[in-house]
Amino acid sequence: MHLHDRLDRTDWPERLTLLGVEDEDRAPLLRAVGAVLADEDLVARTTWLAEHYLLPWIGAWRGVFERDGFWPGEVFDPVMAGAQPLCALLATVDDVRAFHASRGIDEATSWASLADLGQQVAKHRAVTGRTGLTHFNWLRNVWAGCYIRLGRLQFELYRSDLDGTLPAPVTMLNTHIPAGGSMAPGLVDESLQRAPAFFREHFGDQLDEGGLDWLTCWSWLLDPQLGQLLPGSNVADFAARWQACSSSGNDRDGYYFVFDIEPLEGTALPYGVDELPQRTSLERALVGLWRSGGHLQRVRGRIRCGQVRVER
């Protein structure tokens, strides 16, 4: 793979738009690309990352997230946080697009799925104040090619027994909620209804003999406490769709996804509650939960394919 051929381009403005990169992140990102290309050692390292951690796993969705990935210390890159993994991801965009095309997936859906890169870069900036990339190993899942955005939600092929609530592990669709945009019930309905048919059409050979029966979601947004704290809200409606399989304490996700704070490692949560902003009903709800001594839960839920909410 020749990194210069892949990254020394004139069409970056268009490509960064398609990859969801926000205006504030474009110039720093392109400076990082230039700095990597100007250093032979960085070119060699970035090429190695692309050839060992990305290209071999395109189309090999099973267990990609669990396999050894980029070294976590790559975030401390002297050029920019996560610069080398980020350049490896940028260099292999067209390989993932080619895989999507081989599956009959249209260009708009392909780019919408890959635009998770821009979201991850923006989240790094929101948390740290600087353009960069922390969760490059998460993007390996997206770059496997079986992680697709369909409307409001994202879906990926996944294999699980849902914490023992199914007799054996089966292939299902894991559901993710990208940042930004409305969680209006109609938008969520459309995504949940669309996803099973899409994956049966484009990834039918990857499914179990029995087909595709389950959607799952593992998120703090499924915490039933949110329904009590925000009755009648879109967040409460989303949580009520799912039948809970298991849960665990996860105040960290509240800090990270709502307040753009990565809690200090080893520090008991919650902390600094009185300093947290309360601009939105969700922020006020979480602050109130923590002030009362409560804790946010990360819940794994399931819905049968073909339903938009669990039948109770």
Side-chain angles (χ1 to χ4, degrees):
M1 186 184 81
H2 299 288
L3 197 70
H4 282 272
D5 292 342
R6 290 171 176 247
L7 292 182
D8 190 6
R9 314 178 60 102
T10 60
D11 62 348
W12 277 120
E14 177 185 0
R15 290 174 75 84
L16 293 182
T17 296
L18 292 167
L19 287 167
V21 176
E22 296 183 3
D23 290 345
E24 292 176 69
D25 296 315
R26 294 185 181 209
L29 189 154
L30 291 179
R31 284 196 296 271
V33 170
V36 168
L37 291 179
D39 186 309
E40 291 185 6
D41 291 337
L42 295 182
V43 167
R45 172 62 178 170
T46 302
T47 300
W48 189 90
L49 293 175
E51 292 180 342
H52 287 76
Y53 290 147
L54 295 174
L55 292 178
W57 303 112
I58 295 174
W61 63 272
R62 295 176 189 266
V64 169
F65 190 66
E66 287 77 20
R67 296 180 188 274
D68 291 339
F70 298 122
W71 177 56
E74 299 275 7
V75 75
F76 301 110
D77 194 298
V79 172
M80 184 182 77
Q84 292 171 67
L86 178 57
C87 285
L89 290 159
L90 292 172
T92 51
V93 166
D94 287 340
D95 299 280
V96 186
R97 292 180 58 231
F99 171 74
H100 285 161
S102 76
R103 290 275 167 176
I105 297 171
D106 65 272
E107 282 201 9
T109 300
S110 178
W111 281 116
S113 303
L114 294 169
D116 201 59
L117 183 146
Q119 289 215 351
Q120 296 299 330
V121 170
K123 188 63 177 181
H124 179 97
R125 172 170 45 79
V127 172
T128 68
R130 298 176 299 279
T131 296
L133 182 63
T134 305
H135 296 297
F136 31 75
N137 276 322
W138 172 254
L139 287 170
R140 290 184 71 226
N141 261 12
V142 181
W143 258 237
C146 303
Y147 182 111
I148 305 294
R149 180 158 186 172
L150 299 170
R152 181 62 185 90
L153 304 175
Q154 299 159 317
F155 302 88
E156 62 173 331
L157 287 173
Y158 185 71
R159 192 166 182 83
S160 175
D161 66 357
L162 296 179
D163 301 311
T165 61
L166 299 178
V170 298
T171 301
M172 60 187 65
L173 294 181
N174 198 20
T175 307
H176 301 281
I177 310 102
S182 170
M183 288 290 288
L187 297 177
V188 174
D189 290 348
E190 189 273 335
S191 287
L192 293 175
Q193 289 167 341
R194 181 181 172 191
F198 180 95
F199 277 85
R200 290 182 186 119
E201 176 183 356
H202 298 288
F203 296 100
D205 62 321
Q206 299 292 305
L207 305 181
D208 298 328
E209 187 175 339
L212 188 62
D213 293 330
W214 294 101
L215 290 150
T216 185
C217 184
W218 193 18
S219 173
W220 63 276
L221 281 170
L222 271 61
D223 189 335
Q225 296 176 104
L226 295 177
Q228 302 164 15
L229 294 168
L230 298 165
S233 67
N234 290 339
V235 169
D237 181 87
F238 186 79
R241 295 170 180 274
W242 305 86
Q243 179 185 23
C245 301
S246 63
S247 65
S248 58
N250 205 290
D251 288 325
R252 178 265 177 190
D253 282 3
Y255 276 82
Y256 185 76
F257 290 111
V258 179
F259 297 102
D260 293 328
I261 295 170
E262 184 64 271
L264 299 173
E265 187 175 352
T267 303
L269 296 176
Y271 68 80
V273 174
D274 290 338
E275 285 73 48
L276 295 176
Q278 298 185 58
R279 299 158 296 192
T280 68
S281 57
L282 180 57
E283 289 176 348
R284 291 189 291 272
L286 291 184
V287 169
L289 173 69
W290 289 328
R291 279 178 173 163
S292 71
H295 294 279
L296 192 63
Q297 298 293 309
R298 192 182 191 202
V299 176
R300 188 191 297 275
R302 66 180 187 178
I303 309 174
R304 279 199 177 274
C305 290
Q307 298 177 354
V308 294
R309 60 186 69 242
V310 70
E311 293 181 355
R312 301 187 184 280

Short mmCIF file of all heavy atoms in Angstrom, two decimals, residues 90-146:
data_model
loop_
_atom_site.label_atom_id
_atom_site.label_comp_id
_atom_site.label_asym_id
_atom_site.label_seq_id
_atom_site.Cartn_x
_atom_site.Cartn_y
_atom_site.Cartn_z
N LEU A 90 -8.27 6.98 7.25
CA LEU A 90 -8.52 7.80 6.06
C LEU A 90 -7.97 7.12 4.80
O LEU A 90 -8.57 7.20 3.73
CB LEU A 90 -7.89 9.17 6.23
CG LEU A 90 -8.51 10.10 7.29
CD1 LEU A 90 -7.65 11.35 7.47
CD2 LEU A 90 -9.93 10.48 6.91
N ALA A 91 -6.84 6.44 4.94
CA ALA A 91 -6.21 5.81 3.79
C ALA A 91 -6.98 4.60 3.28
O ALA A 91 -6.77 4.17 2.14
CB ALA A 91 -4.79 5.39 4.14
N THR A 92 -7.86 4.05 4.10
CA THR A 92 -8.57 2.82 3.73
C THR A 92 -10.06 3.04 3.51
O THR A 92 -10.82 2.08 3.39
CB THR A 92 -8.35 1.74 4.80
OG1 THR A 92 -8.67 2.27 6.10
CG2 THR A 92 -6.90 1.26 4.81
N VAL A 93 -10.49 4.29 3.44
CA VAL A 93 -11.90 4.59 3.21
C VAL A 93 -12.41 3.91 1.94
O VAL A 93 -13.48 3.28 1.93
CB VAL A 93 -12.12 6.12 3.12
CG1 VAL A 93 -13.50 6.44 2.54
CG2 VAL A 93 -11.97 6.75 4.49
N ASP A 94 -11.66 4.02 0.87
CA ASP A 94 -12.15 3.48 -0.40
C ASP A 94 -12.20 1.96 -0.42
O ASP A 94 -12.97 1.37 -1.17
CB ASP A 94 -11.31 4.00 -1.56
CG ASP A 94 -11.58 5.47 -1.86
OD1 ASP A 94 -12.65 5.97 -1.45
OD2 ASP A 94 -10.73 6.12 -2.49
N ASP A 95 -11.40 1.32 0.42
CA ASP A 95 -11.47 -0.14 0.52
C ASP A 95 -12.79 -0.56 1.17
O ASP A 95 -13.41 -1.54 0.75
CB ASP A 95 -10.29 -0.66 1.34
CG ASP A 95 -8.96 -0.32 0.70
OD1 ASP A 95 -8.55 -1.03 -0.23
OD2 ASP A 95 -8.35 0.67 1.14
N VAL A 96 -13.22 0.19 2.18
CA VAL A 96 -14.50 -0.12 2.81
C VAL A 96 -15.65 0.18 1.85
O VAL A 96 -16.61 -0.58 1.74
CB VAL A 96 -14.68 0.66 4.13
CG1 VAL A 96 -15.95 0.21 4.85
CG2 VAL A 96 -13.47 0.48 5.03
N ARG A 97 -15.54 1.30 1.13
CA ARG A 97 -16.58 1.64 0.16
C ARG A 97 -16.69 0.58 -0.93
O ARG A 97 -17.79 0.25 -1.38
CB ARG A 97 -16.28 3.01 -0.46
CG ARG A 97 -16.41 4.18 0.53
CD ARG A 97 -16.10 5.51 -0.14
NE ARG A 97 -16.98 5.73 -1.27
CZ ARG A 97 -16.58 6.05 -2.49
NH1 ARG A 97 -15.28 6.16 -2.75
NH2 ARG A 97 -17.44 6.24 -3.45
N ALA A 98 -15.55 0.04 -1.35
CA ALA A 98 -15.58 -1.03 -2.36
C ALA A 98 -16.27 -2.27 -1.82
O ALA A 98 -17.02 -2.94 -2.54
CB ALA A 98 -14.16 -1.36 -2.81
N PHE A 99 -16.02 -2.59 -0.55
CA PHE A 99 -16.72 -3.72 0.06
C PHE A 99 -18.22 -3.46 0.10
O PHE A 99 -19.02 -4.35 -0.23
CB PHE A 99 -16.18 -3.97 1.47
CG PHE A 99 -16.99 -4.98 2.23
CD1 PHE A 99 -16.90 -6.33 1.93
CD2 PHE A 99 -17.87 -4.58 3.23
CE1 PHE A 99 -17.66 -7.27 2.63
CE2 PHE A 99 -18.63 -5.51 3.93
CZ PHE A 99 -18.52 -6.85 3.62
N HIS A 100 -18.62 -2.27 0.52
CA HIS A 100 -20.04 -1.94 0.52
C HIS A 100 -20.64 -2.10 -0.87
O HIS A 100 -21.72 -2.68 -1.04
CB HIS A 100 -20.24 -0.50 1.01
CG HIS A 100 -20.07 -0.31 2.47
ND1 HIS A 100 -19.84 0.93 3.04
CD2 HIS A 100 -20.09 -1.19 3.51
CE1 HIS A 100 -19.73 0.79 4.35
NE2 HIS A 100 -19.88 -0.48 4.65
N ALA A 101 -19.95 -1.58 -1.88
CA ALA A 101 -20.46 -1.69 -3.25
C ALA A 101 -20.60 -3.15 -3.67
O ALA A 101 -21.55 -3.51 -4.37
CB ALA A 101 -19.54 -0.94 -4.21
N SER A 102 -19.67 -4.00 -3.23
CA SER A 102 -19.75 -5.42 -3.58
C SER A 102 -20.96 -6.09 -2.97
O SER A 102 -21.40 -7.14 -3.44
CB SER A 102 -18.47 -6.14 -3.13
OG SER A 102 -18.46 -6.37 -1.73
N ARG A 103 -21.50 -5.47 -1.92
CA ARG A 103 -22.69 -5.98 -1.25
C ARG A 103 -23.96 -5.30 -1.76
O ARG A 103 -25.05 -5.52 -1.23
CB ARG A 103 -22.57 -5.74 0.26
CG ARG A 103 -21.52 -6.62 0.93
CD ARG A 103 -22.10 -7.94 1.28
NE ARG A 103 -21.11 -8.93 1.65
CZ ARG A 103 -21.42 -10.15 2.07
NH1 ARG A 103 -22.68 -10.51 2.20
NH2 ARG A 103 -20.48 -11.02 2.36
N GLY A 104 -23.82 -4.44 -2.76
CA GLY A 104 -24.98 -3.76 -3.32
C GLY A 104 -25.47 -2.60 -2.50
O GLY A 104 -26.60 -2.13 -2.68
N ILE A 105 -24.63 -2.09 -1.61
CA ILE A 105 -25.00 -0.96 -0.75
C ILE A 105 -24.73 0.34 -1.50
O ILE A 105 -23.65 0.54 -2.06
CB ILE A 105 -24.23 -1.00 0.57
CG1 ILE A 105 -24.60 -2.27 1.35
CG2 ILE A 105 -24.49 0.25 1.42
CD1 ILE A 105 -23.72 -2.52 2.56
N ASP A 106 -25.71 1.24 -1.53
CA ASP A 106 -25.57 2.47 -2.30
C ASP A 106 -24.56 3.41 -1.65
O ASP A 106 -24.25 3.31 -0.46
CB ASP A 106 -26.93 3.16 -2.45
CG ASP A 106 -27.48 3.61 -1.10
OD1 ASP A 106 -28.17 2.81 -0.44
OD2 ASP A 106 -27.20 4.76 -0.70
N GLU A 107 -24.04 4.34 -2.45
CA GLU A 107 -22.99 5.25 -1.99
C GLU A 107 -23.43 6.12 -0.82
O GLU A 107 -22.67 6.36 0.11
CB GLU A 107 -22.52 6.14 -3.14
CG GLU A 107 -21.57 5.47 -4.10
CD GLU A 107 -20.75 6.47 -4.89
OE1 GLU A 107 -20.80 7.67 -4.56
OE2 GLU A 107 -20.05 6.04 -5.81
N ALA A 108 -24.67 6.60 -0.85
CA ALA A 108 -25.14 7.48 0.22
C ALA A 108 -25.12 6.75 1.56
O ALA A 108 -24.70 7.32 2.59
CB ALA A 108 -26.54 8.00 -0.09
N THR A 109 -25.58 5.51 1.57
CA THR A 109 -25.58 4.73 2.82
C THR A 109 -24.17 4.41 3.26
O THR A 109 -23.85 4.44 4.46
CB THR A 109 -26.39 3.44 2.63
OG1 THR A 109 -27.73 3.77 2.27
CG2 THR A 109 -26.40 2.61 3.90
N SER A 110 -23.29 4.12 2.29
CA SER A 110 -21.90 3.83 2.62
C SER A 110 -21.24 5.04 3.28
O SER A 110 -20.62 4.91 4.36
CB SER A 110 -21.15 3.45 1.33
OG SER A 110 -19.78 3.21 1.59
N TRP A 111 -21.36 6.21 2.68
CA TRP A 111 -20.76 7.40 3.26
C TRP A 111 -21.38 7.75 4.61
O TRP A 111 -20.68 8.16 5.55
CB TRP A 111 -20.90 8.58 2.30
CG TRP A 111 -19.91 8.60 1.18
CD1 TRP A 111 -20.19 8.48 -0.16
CD2 TRP A 111 -18.49 8.76 1.27
NE1 TRP A 111 -19.04 8.56 -0.91
CE2 TRP A 111 -17.97 8.73 -0.05
CE3 TRP A 111 -17.60 8.92 2.33
CZ2 TRP A 111 -16.62 8.85 -0.33
CZ3 TRP A 111 -16.24 9.05 2.06
CH2 TRP A 111 -15.77 9.02 0.75
N ALA A 112 -22.70 7.61 4.72
CA ALA A 112 -23.36 7.91 6.00
C ALA A 112 -22.82 7.03 7.12
O ALA A 112 -22.69 7.46 8.27
CB ALA A 112 -24.87 7.73 5.87
N SER A 113 -22.50 5.80 6.79
CA SER A 113 -21.96 4.86 7.79
C SER A 113 -20.54 5.25 8.17
O SER A 113 -20.17 5.26 9.35
CB SER A 113 -22.01 3.44 7.24
OG SER A 113 -23.34 3.09 6.88
N LEU A 114 -19.71 5.57 7.17
CA LEU A 114 -18.33 5.95 7.43
C LEU A 114 -18.21 7.30 8.12
O LEU A 114 -17.18 7.62 8.71
CB LEU A 114 -17.55 5.97 6.12
CG LEU A 114 -17.38 4.60 5.45
CD1 LEU A 114 -16.84 4.76 4.04
CD2 LEU A 114 -16.48 3.70 6.28
N ALA A 115 -19.27 8.11 8.06
CA ALA A 115 -19.25 9.43 8.71
C ALA A 115 -19.18 9.34 10.22
O ALA A 115 -19.05 10.37 10.90
CB ALA A 115 -20.48 10.24 8.28
N ASP A 116 -19.23 8.14 10.77
CA ASP A 116 -18.98 8.00 12.21
C ASP A 116 -17.58 8.50 12.55
O ASP A 116 -17.33 8.91 13.69
CB ASP A 116 -19.14 6.54 12.64
CG ASP A 116 -19.40 6.41 14.13
OD1 ASP A 116 -20.40 6.97 14.60
OD2 ASP A 116 -18.58 5.77 14.82
N LEU A 117 -16.68 8.49 11.59
CA LEU A 117 -15.33 9.02 11.84
C LEU A 117 -15.41 10.48 12.27
O LEU A 117 -14.78 10.88 13.26
CB LEU A 117 -14.47 8.88 10.57
CG LEU A 117 -13.02 9.33 10.70
CD1 LEU A 117 -12.11 8.46 9.85
CD2 LEU A 117 -12.85 10.80 10.28
N GLY A 118 -16.17 11.29 11.55
CA GLY A 118 -16.29 12.70 11.92
C GLY A 118 -16.88 12.88 13.30
O GLY A 118 -16.47 13.79 14.04
N GLN A 119 -17.85 12.04 13.64
CA GLN A 119 -18.46 12.13 14.97
C GLN A 119 -17.44 11.83 16.07
O GLN A 119 -17.43 12.48 17.11
CB GLN A 119 -19.65 11.18 15.07
CG GLN A 119 -20.85 11.60 14.27
CD GLN A 119 -22.16 11.23 14.96
OE1 GLN A 119 -22.18 10.53 15.95
NE2 GLN A 119 -23.24 11.73 14.42
N GLN A 120 -16.60 10.82 15.83
CA GLN A 120 -15.62 10.45 16.85
C GLN A 120 -14.56 11.54 17.00
O GLN A 120 -14.10 11.82 18.12
CB GLN A 120 -14.97 9.12 16.49
CG GLN A 120 -15.94 7.93 16.47
CD GLN A 120 -16.59 7.69 17.81
OE1 GLN A 120 -16.02 7.96 18.87
NE2 GLN A 120 -17.82 7.17 17.78
N VAL A 121 -14.17 12.17 15.91
CA VAL A 121 -13.21 13.27 15.98
C VAL A 121 -13.83 14.45 16.74
O VAL A 121 -13.19 15.08 17.60
CB VAL A 121 -12.75 13.69 14.57
CG1 VAL A 121 -11.95 14.99 14.61
CG2 VAL A 121 -11.93 12.57 13.93
N ALA A 122 -15.08 14.77 16.43
CA ALA A 122 -15.75 15.88 17.11
C ALA A 122 -15.91 15.59 18.61
O ALA A 122 -15.78 16.51 19.44
CB ALA A 122 -17.12 16.12 16.47
N LYS A 123 -16.16 14.34 18.96
CA LYS A 123 -16.32 14.00 20.38
C LYS A 123 -14.99 14.17 21.11
O LYS A 123 -14.96 14.67 22.24
CB LYS A 123 -16.82 12.56 20.52
CG LYS A 123 -17.18 12.20 21.97
CD LYS A 123 -18.33 13.06 22.48
CE LYS A 123 -18.76 12.66 23.88
NZ LYS A 123 -19.89 13.47 24.38
N HIS A 124 -13.91 13.77 20.48
CA HIS A 124 -12.60 13.99 21.09
C HIS A 124 -12.39 15.47 21.38
O HIS A 124 -11.92 15.84 22.46
CB HIS A 124 -11.50 13.48 20.16
CG HIS A 124 -10.12 13.68 20.70
ND1 HIS A 124 -9.41 12.69 21.36
CD2 HIS A 124 -9.30 14.78 20.70
CE1 HIS A 124 -8.24 13.18 21.73
NE2 HIS A 124 -8.15 14.44 21.34
N ARG A 125 -12.74 16.32 20.42
CA ARG A 125 -12.58 17.77 20.62
C ARG A 125 -13.48 18.27 21.74
O ARG A 125 -13.07 19.12 22.56
CB ARG A 125 -12.84 18.52 19.32
CG ARG A 125 -12.88 20.04 19.47
CD ARG A 125 -12.90 20.77 18.14
NE ARG A 125 -13.82 20.20 17.19
CZ ARG A 125 -15.14 20.39 17.19
NH1 ARG A 125 -15.69 21.14 18.14
NH2 ARG A 125 -15.91 19.85 16.26
N ALA A 126 -14.72 17.79 21.78
CA ALA A 126 -15.65 18.24 22.81
C ALA A 126 -15.14 17.89 24.21
O ALA A 126 -15.32 18.64 25.16
CB ALA A 126 -17.03 17.62 22.58
N VAL A 127 -14.48 16.73 24.32
CA VAL A 127 -14.01 16.26 25.62
C VAL A 127 -12.67 16.90 26.00
O VAL A 127 -12.45 17.27 27.15
CB VAL A 127 -13.90 14.72 25.63
CG1 VAL A 127 -13.23 14.22 26.91
CG2 VAL A 127 -15.28 14.09 25.48
N THR A 128 -11.77 17.04 25.02
CA THR A 128 -10.41 17.49 25.33
C THR A 128 -10.13 18.94 24.95
O THR A 128 -9.14 19.51 25.40
CB THR A 128 -9.38 16.61 24.59
OG1 THR A 128 -9.48 16.86 23.17
CG2 THR A 128 -9.62 15.13 24.87
N GLY A 129 -10.96 19.51 24.09
CA GLY A 129 -10.73 20.87 23.61
C GLY A 129 -9.84 20.95 22.40
O GLY A 129 -9.54 22.06 21.92
N ARG A 130 -9.39 19.79 21.87
CA ARG A 130 -8.50 19.79 20.72
C ARG A 130 -8.94 18.71 19.72
O ARG A 130 -9.45 17.66 20.11
CB ARG A 130 -7.05 19.49 21.15
CG ARG A 130 -6.47 20.53 22.09
CD ARG A 130 -5.08 20.13 22.56
NE ARG A 130 -5.11 18.86 23.29
CZ ARG A 130 -5.44 18.73 24.57
NH1 ARG A 130 -5.81 19.81 25.27
NH2 ARG A 130 -5.42 17.56 25.15
N THR A 131 -8.70 18.96 18.44
CA THR A 131 -9.00 17.96 17.42
C THR A 131 -8.09 16.75 17.60
O THR A 131 -6.90 16.88 17.86
CB THR A 131 -8.79 18.55 16.02
OG1 THR A 131 -9.71 19.62 15.82
CG2 THR A 131 -9.00 17.50 14.93
N GLY A 132 -8.67 15.58 17.47
CA GLY A 132 -7.90 14.34 17.59
C GLY A 132 -8.84 13.15 17.53
O GLY A 132 -10.02 13.29 17.18
N LEU A 133 -8.32 12.00 17.89
CA LEU A 133 -9.13 10.78 17.85
C LEU A 133 -8.70 9.87 18.99
O LEU A 133 -7.54 9.44 19.06
CB LEU A 133 -8.96 10.06 16.51
CG LEU A 133 -9.79 8.78 16.32
CD1 LEU A 133 -11.28 9.10 16.37
CD2 LEU A 133 -9.43 8.11 15.00
N THR A 134 -9.64 9.59 19.88
CA THR A 134 -9.40 8.67 20.99
C THR A 134 -9.86 7.26 20.64
O THR A 134 -9.13 6.29 20.85
CB THR A 134 -10.14 9.14 22.25
OG1 THR A 134 -9.78 10.48 22.55
CG2 THR A 134 -9.84 8.23 23.43
N HIS A 135 -11.07 7.16 20.11
CA HIS A 135 -11.70 5.84 19.95
C HIS A 135 -11.47 5.26 18.56
O HIS A 135 -12.40 4.88 17.86
CB HIS A 135 -13.18 5.94 20.31
CG HIS A 135 -13.41 6.31 21.74
ND1 HIS A 135 -13.00 5.50 22.78
CD2 HIS A 135 -13.95 7.41 22.31
CE1 HIS A 135 -13.31 6.07 23.94
NE2 HIS A 135 -13.87 7.24 23.67
N PHE A 136 -10.19 5.18 18.18
CA PHE A 136 -9.88 4.60 16.87
C PHE A 136 -10.17 3.11 16.83
O PHE A 136 -10.53 2.58 15.77
CB PHE A 136 -8.41 4.86 16.50
CG PHE A 136 -7.45 4.94 17.65
CD1 PHE A 136 -7.05 3.80 18.32
CD2 PHE A 136 -6.97 6.16 18.07
CE1 PHE A 136 -6.17 3.88 19.39
CE2 PHE A 136 -6.09 6.25 19.14
CZ PHE A 136 -5.68 5.10 19.80
N ASN A 137 -10.07 2.42 17.97
CA ASN A 137 -10.40 0.99 17.96
C ASN A 137 -11.90 0.78 17.74
O ASN A 137 -12.31 -0.24 17.16
CB ASN A 137 -9.93 0.31 19.24
CG ASN A 137 -8.47 -0.09 19.15
OD1 ASN A 137 -8.01 -0.51 18.10
ND2 ASN A 137 -7.72 0.09 20.22
N TRP A 138 -12.72 1.71 18.19
CA TRP A 138 -14.15 1.62 17.90
C TRP A 138 -14.40 1.71 16.40
O TRP A 138 -15.22 0.97 15.84
CB TRP A 138 -14.91 2.74 18.62
CG TRP A 138 -16.35 2.79 18.19
CD1 TRP A 138 -16.93 3.71 17.37
CD2 TRP A 138 -17.36 1.85 18.52
NE1 TRP A 138 -18.24 3.40 17.18
CE2 TRP A 138 -18.54 2.27 17.87
CE3 TRP A 138 -17.39 0.70 19.30
CZ2 TRP A 138 -19.74 1.56 17.98
CZ3 TRP A 138 -18.57 -0.01 19.42
CH2 TRP A 138 -19.73 0.43 18.76
N LEU A 139 -13.66 2.59 15.73
CA LEU A 139 -13.85 2.75 14.29
C LEU A 139 -13.41 1.52 13.50
O LEU A 139 -13.82 1.34 12.35
CB LEU A 139 -13.12 3.99 13.80
CG LEU A 139 -13.79 5.31 14.20
CD1 LEU A 139 -12.88 6.50 13.89
CD2 LEU A 139 -15.13 5.49 13.50
N ARG A 140 -12.61 0.65 14.10
CA ARG A 140 -12.30 -0.62 13.43
C ARG A 140 -13.59 -1.40 13.18
O ARG A 140 -13.69 -2.12 12.18
CB ARG A 140 -11.35 -1.46 14.27
CG ARG A 140 -9.95 -0.91 14.36
CD ARG A 140 -9.04 -1.85 15.12
NE ARG A 140 -8.76 -3.03 14.35
CZ ARG A 140 -8.82 -4.28 14.85
NH1 ARG A 140 -9.20 -4.47 16.09
NH2 ARG A 140 -8.51 -5.31 14.09
N ASN A 141 -14.53 -1.33 14.09
CA ASN A 141 -15.83 -1.99 13.88
C ASN A 141 -16.52 -1.42 12.65
O ASN A 141 -17.08 -2.15 11.83
CB ASN A 141 -16.73 -1.77 15.10
CG ASN A 141 -16.72 -2.97 16.02
OD1 ASN A 141 -15.90 -3.87 15.88
ND2 ASN A 141 -17.62 -2.97 16.97
N VAL A 142 -16.52 -0.10 12.54
CA VAL A 142 -17.17 0.54 11.40
C VAL A 142 -16.46 0.14 10.10
O VAL A 142 -17.11 -0.17 9.09
CB VAL A 142 -17.17 2.07 11.57
CG1 VAL A 142 -17.87 2.75 10.40
CG2 VAL A 142 -17.84 2.47 12.90
N TRP A 143 -15.14 0.12 10.15
CA TRP A 143 -14.34 -0.18 8.96
C TRP A 143 -14.42 -1.66 8.57
O TRP A 143 -13.99 -2.03 7.47
CB TRP A 143 -12.89 0.26 9.17
CG TRP A 143 -12.54 1.53 8.49
CD1 TRP A 143 -11.54 1.73 7.59
CD2 TRP A 143 -13.16 2.82 8.63
NE1 TRP A 143 -11.50 3.03 7.16
CE2 TRP A 143 -12.49 3.73 7.79
CE3 TRP A 143 -14.23 3.30 9.41
CZ2 TRP A 143 -12.85 5.07 7.68
CZ3 TRP A 143 -14.59 4.63 9.30
CH2 TRP A 143 -13.91 5.49 8.45
N ALA A 144 -14.97 -2.51 9.42
CA ALA A 144 -15.18 -3.91 9.02
C ALA A 144 -16.25 -4.02 7.93
O ALA A 144 -16.34 -5.04 7.26
CB ALA A 144 -15.58 -4.76 10.23
N GLY A 145 -17.07 -2.95 7.79
CA GLY A 145 -17.99 -2.88 6.67
C GLY A 145 -19.40 -3.37 6.95
O GLY A 145 -20.28 -3.21 6.10
N CYS A 146 -19.62 -3.94 8.11
CA CYS A 146 -20.96 -4.47 8.44
C CYS A 146 -21.62 -3.62 9.52
O CYS A 146 -22.51 -4.08 10.24
CB CYS A 146 -20.86 -5.92 8.89
SG CYS A 146 -20.09 -7.00 7.68
#
